[in-house]
Amino acid sequence: MLVITRREGEEVVIGDPSSPVGVVRIASIKGDRIRLAFDFPREIEVHRREVADQILADKPNVVGSIRPATGGS
């Protein structure tokens, strides 16, 4: 795990700096609360840990894939 120190308004670039996957910015710090701003493409999912864990718990374990029936009558 990488741990870095940032101040309010500073950013962390994820991926290649010339074409980053996304950027995380420290939006504000108030007491023990930190607000983060995430700038990622919509197709990349970003979840809080508790939401990610719930998604994994609710996802059925499927082996293989279901394909639509082909052909006709």
Side-chain angles (χ1 to χ4, degrees):
M1 176 182 294
L2 171 66
V3 178
I4 60 175
T5 302
R6 300 278 69 202
R7 291 187 172 94
E8 190 170 321
E10 294 181 335
E11 298 178 336
V12 175
V13 176
I14 309 296
D16 180 359
S18 65
S19 180
V21 174
V23 176
V24 179
R25 183 172 50 88
I26 307 304
S28 67
I29 303 170
K30 294 181 183 176
D32 64 346
R33 306 288 274 181
I34 299 169
R35 294 184 71 189
L36 301 173
F38 296 89
D39 185 10
F40 284 82
R42 288 192 177 271
E43 58 270 9
I44 296 178
E45 296 184 20
V46 178
H47 302 287
R48 298 182 320 232
R49 169 53 63 192
E50 61 272 19
V51 173
D53 290 343
Q54 186 63 48
I55 290 169
L56 291 173
D58 291 346
K59 189 176 284 188
N61 293 326
V62 176
V63 177
S65 60
I66 300 172
R67 287 176 271 147
T70 57
S73 41

